[in-house]
Amino acid sequence: MDSVWINAPAKINIGLDVLRRREDGYHEVKMIMQSIRLFDRLTLTKTSEAGIHLHTNLRFLPVNEDNLVYRSAKLLMDEFGIQEGVDIRLDKRIPVAAGMAGGSTDAASCMLAMNDLFQLGLSKRALMKRGVTLGADIPYCILKGTALSEGIGEKLSTIPETPDCYVLIAKPSFHVSTKFVYTNLVLDEHTEHPDIDGMIQSMKKNDLTGLCQQMANILETVTIPAHPEIADIKRCMMENGALGSLMSGSGPTVFGIFDDLDKAAFAKEKCRSLPYKCFVFVTDLYR
């Protein structure tokens, strides 16, 4: 095998809670993660020339160790003493800096592809253990599907699947600093925390409506006051057929959950007509 390709799915957070700030500066989280059918694609090819050669379809992306894909390939090449080179083509479709784990899913998929291409024989769990050294979301992005994420994101457990639905993605053109959001998050006795356990109970019952009524993201308390456009997008989705709408991660991407494809397509056009530019996309869940 001299070449492999792999799709790297985006993720949304069906629920996101932050429990506390740890002494090391990281935050203890409790999140429901869900993969969706919006993909980047990586193509890896062995080369006789040693080293890592990364190319992307976006000129502004780094193609050196500042890119998680490069670092994930290097981690495995260094550990296993791989002498051959690898050419990596990254075709981005997931919006950058969108709260959808685009960088993490690319790195995770690169590790999975490297494992196949060079026949390293590593299990998913072994790859997850290595991946967390590069980023807290990478283990989940190796696992994919529906999962409960705890700790700093590295403790993963399987939970009932999210009920079948359609997902409308709307990502406004501005960026949100994750560092700003977590730095300004207030956690005290007055903080209202999402009911993650209640969401999981609705998922056990395959109750999509109940789940959507409970969906919450504690980071909205910081991001929405700074960027009220996010609230406008949520409102647009809810007024046009969404069972629920939420910001993903630290933002600015908003998603809506629909039980009907036509409703999702109608809401997509409504979001597209908002007075600020949005990337909009209708999809479903990636199992």
Side-chain angles (χ1 to χ4, degrees):
M1 189 192 310
D2 292 321
S3 184
V4 296
W5 64 266
I6 187 170
N7 281 334
K11 68 86 186 163
I12 55 175
N13 297 102
I14 299 292
L16 194 162
D17 194 12
V18 180
L19 306 180
R20 67 182 183 94
R21 181 184 171 92
R22 306 192 326 180
E23 289 181 7
D24 61 8
Y26 286 97
H27 287 78
E28 199 91 16
V29 298
K30 189 172 184 179
M31 308 181 290
I32 298 174
M33 314 279 269
Q34 176 63 56
S35 304
I36 61 170
R37 290 187 177 277
L38 172 59
F39 303 102
D40 291 342
R41 175 172 285 201
L42 289 92
T43 305
L44 281 69
T45 306
K46 289 180 183 178
T47 65
S48 55
E49 183 185 350
I52 300 162
H53 313 281
L54 175 61
H55 320 272
T56 83
N57 60 326
L58 300 178
R59 290 183 180 179
F60 61 84
L61 289 180
V63 291
N64 53 22
E65 292 205 32
D66 292 329
N67 191 306
L68 273 176
V69 169
Y70 188 105
R71 287 163 61 195
S72 66
K74 187 174 187 302
L75 183 150
L76 293 177
M77 292 182 84
D78 287 350
E79 179 181 349
F80 288 89
I82 296 170
Q83 299 301 311
E84 294 170 277
V86 63
D87 182 276
I88 304 173
R89 171 71 191 182
L90 169 60
D91 291 301
K92 290 288 295 177
R93 289 192 70 207
I94 302 168
V96 176
M100 301 177 76
S104 294
T105 193
D106 292 343
S109 295
C110 181
M111 294 181 78
L112 288 163
M114 288 285 294
N115 191 43
D116 286 345
L117 184 63
F118 291 99
Q119 299 181 341
L120 304 181
L122 296 172
S123 66
K124 274 193 175 183
R125 288 288 168 186
L127 287 169
M128 289 160 68
K129 186 176 178 182
R130 289 161 172 81
V132 75
T133 65
L134 298 177
D137 277 348
I138 292 176
Y140 164 72
C141 292
I142 291 171
L143 184 64
K144 304 184 183 73
T146 312
L148 177 67
S149 172
E150 297 177 281
I152 62 168
E154 86 288 7
K155 297 177 185 174
L156 297 168
S157 49
T158 54
I159 54 176
E161 290 187 336
T162 305
D164 289 339
C165 60
Y166 299 97
V167 183
L168 169 59
I169 299 296
K171 194 269 178 187
S173 56
F174 58 83
H175 295 314
V176 170
S177 162
T178 300
K179 183 178 179 182
F180 168 83
V181 174
Y182 276 95
T183 300
N184 288 277
L185 179 65
V186 175
L187 297 173
D188 57 26
E189 64 274 14
H190 304 296
T191 302
E192 255 188 72
H193 289 272
D195 183 7
I196 301 294
D197 293 336
M199 294 177 214
I200 294 172
Q201 287 304 312
S202 291
M203 294 161 83
K204 277 184 182 174
K205 299 179 208 172
N206 201 38
D207 180 4
L208 182 62
T209 301
L211 172 62
C212 289
Q213 289 170 348
Q214 294 169 302
M215 289 194 314
N217 178 349
I218 199 171
L219 300 182
E220 287 187 344
T221 60
V222 179
T223 310
I224 287 180
H227 299 281
E229 301 96 327
I230 291 170
D232 292 343
I233 298 169
K234 289 181 65 178
R235 187 161 45 249
C236 181
M237 290 186 182
M238 293 301 295
E239 289 174 354
N240 290 284
L243 297 176
S245 181
L246 200 66
M247 182 182 80
S248 185
S250 56
T253 297
V254 175
F255 67 89
I257 300 292
F258 294 80
D259 59 3
D260 180 88
L261 182 57
D262 290 338
K263 288 179 187 174
F266 181 78
K268 171 186 171 181
E269 295 309 312
K270 290 293 185 180
C271 287
R272 184 174 273 161
S273 66
L274 287 168
Y276 31 84
K277 187 178 178 183
C278 282
F279 165 87
V280 287
F281 187 82
V282 175
T283 186
D284 59 0
L285 308 179
Y286 179 80
R287 303 295 191 186

